[in-house]
Amino acid sequence: MTAPGHRALREAAAYLRHDRSGPSVDVLWLRGDGARDAVLRLLSSRLLLRDGQAQQSLLLRDDGTILADVTVCADDESYLLVIERGPLGRDALLQHLAARLDGLDDVALEDAAPTHEVISLHGPFAWELVAEVLGQDLVALPYLNFFRMDEGLVLRAGKTGEFGYDLLVRRELADGLVTRIAEAGAAFDAVEIDAGTLSAARFEGWFFDPSIDYPAIEGLGPVTPIELQLQWRLSQREHVGRAALLSRRAALSERPELARKLACVVLSATPEDDVLRLDGAPVGALVRKATSPASGLVFGAALLRADLAHAGLVLDAAGARAKVVAPPLLDNRSLYVDARRHAYRTRDEIAFGAPSRLSAPEAP
Amino acid sequence: MLTTRLKVQVPPDEIDLDAPLFGTGLGLDSVDAVELVVAIEAELKVRMPEGQVGPWAFRTVHSLVDYVVTARQAGSA
């Protein structure tokens, strides 16, 4: 039976106060004439942003590994960084940023935590609840754009495959806003969720999660965005971690047999250990396992030999089989919802897809 | 197909299977989606009838490849 919080997130709307139940989100502004130079140095992705737009990016360490997941917003002449740092301590994050900004002129790092709180909303009808509470103009807010409002700022940037919004709210107004969300949310069967529910939804939706601890690859070193299939968040310009990534690519061109990719596998059952084999030889390992709340499938994230990370391949696990699939684990309802024609109260008229197109492999 | 017909500005060996096709992933837009369907139908001989292909198929390179492979297998069965 699906938990109420997950059902709300996948079928209606759900909300989360990050201060009360992580994941840890930090919001920082980079201000000053040097702000653009600062984000170009700190962040890994191409940055083609107009005012009001946002983009997914990464904060990398000098060794090319991922320090934090970032959504960067172009806020007039400043940049707003919404940072998910996983297990990394807040002080360590701030020290990393300060050290990499050293030597740049006219840039100030401003922490929003003392003045603002992050509240997020997720679900196929989250857009309708946001519009009900904060204004009908928000129905038209495109993905990866933000809108300034009296209470703070609303950013559309989902990480579950459903409509998703991060509200950056002035602290003195946060309690009142949550009350309004709960009151208006009653008509949407909205539920307040915790970090665990969001994490499970994020994993089955196959969105990058900085809280996962990836083991180093033997003969190669620690896992970078290259192995995590996040090269679309890398640019060709100089940035923190770029030299290490170039070295990694050079090493892989010399020894391609060491290449690994993070792949999604559906399992016939929870295996007795994490090793995946092909014809008896180890070819990878599971780094996280779960049961998808939406589909009921047992699945995992596996670091696999790169040449095997293709949908359809079936591997052996201890007491189980593992089939490589193209994620996500579910067919998100948000893909079928059109804000111009649909509403939660008439949701029965929408022809949603099946919960999942995937199936488990046969047991050994 | 992505780099030649759709002019994706990423070296082919840096295009990950699980990279999102649209938005800030590989940067395709709705016009590219039409071009992509035309290219797949012409070059890979797989029909992609409007309204019959689930929206999941267009999420990533991997999901699109999975759709095409499955459709070709079904067609040859």
Side-chain angles (χ1 to χ4, degrees), chain A residues 226-282:
Chain A
I226 297 170
E227 288 76 33
L228 298 180
Q229 303 217 41
L230 291 171
Q231 292 185 93
W232 57 276
R233 296 200 202 184
L234 302 178
S235 69
Q236 306 295 321
R237 67 160 200 284
E238 288 302 313
H239 57 76
V240 174
R242 168 128 173 101
L245 296 175
L246 291 175
S247 296
R248 173 62 55 89
R249 288 199 180 113
L252 288 170
S253 73
E254 285 183 17
R255 297 195 62 191
E257 73 278 9
L258 295 179
R260 297 290 182 274
K261 291 289 180 189
L262 190 74
C264 183
V265 295
V266 172
L267 298 149
S268 61
T270 302
E272 292 154 16
D273 63 37
D274 292 333
V275 180
L276 298 176
R277 292 180 169 81
L278 182 64
D279 299 329

Side-chain angles (χ1 to χ4, degrees), chain A residues 30-348:
Chain A
L30 284 164
R31 300 190 192 278
D33 289 343
R36 179 162 175 79
D37 288 341
V39 294
L40 290 173
R41 177 185 288 189
L42 290 172
L43 300 180
S44 64
S45 60
R46 288 168 288 160
L47 288 168
L48 305 169
L49 292 172
R50 291 193 302 272
D51 182 37
Q53 291 185 323
Q55 191 172 337
Q56 293 141 330
S57 192
L58 296 168
L59 277 173
L60 301 180
R61 298 182 182 88
D62 295 326
D63 67 358
T65 59
I66 297 174
L67 187 82
D69 189 9
V70 179
T71 305
V72 53
C73 308
D75 185 14
D76 197 9
E77 299 293 311
S78 303
Y79 289 87
L80 180 72
L81 307 183
V82 181
I83 300 173
E84 289 188 60
R85 56 185 152 81
L88 181 76
R90 178 178 172 74
D91 289 346
L93 170 71
L94 295 175
Q95 284 171 14
H96 169 92
L97 295 173
R100 271 69 186 178
L101 291 176
D102 192 32
L104 280 181
D105 292 331
D106 201 10
V107 57
L109 191 63
E110 185 181 310
D111 187 355
T115 55
H116 290 75
E117 178 179 336
V118 179
I119 300 163
S120 65
L121 292 98
H122 308 271
F125 295 93
W127 58 272
E128 196 179 359
L129 177 54
V130 166
E132 186 77 22
V133 173
L134 295 171
Q136 293 299 317
D137 287 351
L138 287 166
V139 169
L141 184 66
Y143 180 56
L144 289 176
N145 277 248
F146 68 90
F147 187 82
R148 300 171 191 88
M149 55 183 187
D150 292 342
E151 292 87 347
L153 180 149
V154 54
L155 164 67
R156 185 177 160 202
K159 291 181 175 174
T160 66
E162 311 296 352
F163 286 90
Y165 300 85
D166 287 329
L167 313 182
L168 180 63
V169 185
R170 291 183 0 234
R171 286 198 173 275
E172 67 272 22
L173 301 175
D175 285 342
L177 182 61
V178 171
T179 300
R180 285 159 55 198
I181 291 171
E183 289 174 353
F188 296 88
D189 301 317
V191 168
E192 183 168 2
I193 57 172
D194 60 15
T197 301
L198 184 62
S199 175
R202 185 178 188 148
F203 187 36
E204 70 177 357
W206 207 250
F207 282 76
F208 171 62
D209 186 341
S211 68
I212 297 178
D213 186 20
Y214 299 97
I217 299 167
E218 194 174 335
L220 202 60
V223 168
T224 72
I226 297 170
E227 288 76 33
L228 298 180
Q229 303 217 41
L230 291 171
Q231 292 185 93
W232 57 276
R233 296 200 202 184
L234 302 178
S235 69
Q236 306 295 321
R237 67 160 200 284
E238 288 302 313
H239 57 76
V240 174
R242 168 128 173 101
L245 296 175
L246 291 175
S247 296
R248 173 62 55 89
R249 288 199 180 113
L252 288 170
S253 73
E254 285 183 17
R255 297 195 62 191
E257 73 278 9
L258 295 179
R260 297 290 182 274
K261 291 289 180 189
L262 190 74
C264 183
V265 295
V266 172
L267 298 149
S268 61
T270 302
E272 292 154 16
D273 63 37
D274 292 333
V275 180
L276 298 176
R277 292 180 169 81
L278 182 64
D279 299 329
V283 293
L286 293 159
V287 295
R288 184 177 175 183
K289 302 182 286 287
T291 298
S292 160
S295 67
L297 293 166
V298 179
F299 74 109
L303 272 173
L304 278 186
R305 235 173 58 192
D307 59 322
L308 302 177
H310 298 271
L313 186 76
V314 178
L315 304 168
D316 295 315
R321 286 219 167 87
K323 181 168 70 175
V324 182
V325 298
L329 269 291
L330 70 159
D331 201 8
N332 297 98
R333 289 195 168 197
S334 292
L335 295 173
Y336 297 85
V337 173
D338 183 342
R340 293 166 299 183
R341 298 188 291 125
H342 297 139
Y344 184 65
R345 67 179 185 284
T346 57
R347 62 194 179 281
D348 292 343

Side-chain angles (χ1 to χ4, degrees), chain B residues 2-3 7-8 10 13 21-22 26 29 31 37 40 45 47 50-51 55 59 62 71-74:
Chain B
L2 289 168
T3 54
K7 311 298 181 193
V8 169
V10 180
D13 60 349
L21 286 168
F22 296 92
L26 296 181
D29 59 23
V31 175
V37 169
I40 288 170
K45 312 300 180 198
R47 294 263 299 128
E50 188 177 354
R59 177 169 162 174
H62 206 175
R72 291 179 70 152
Q73 287 172 343

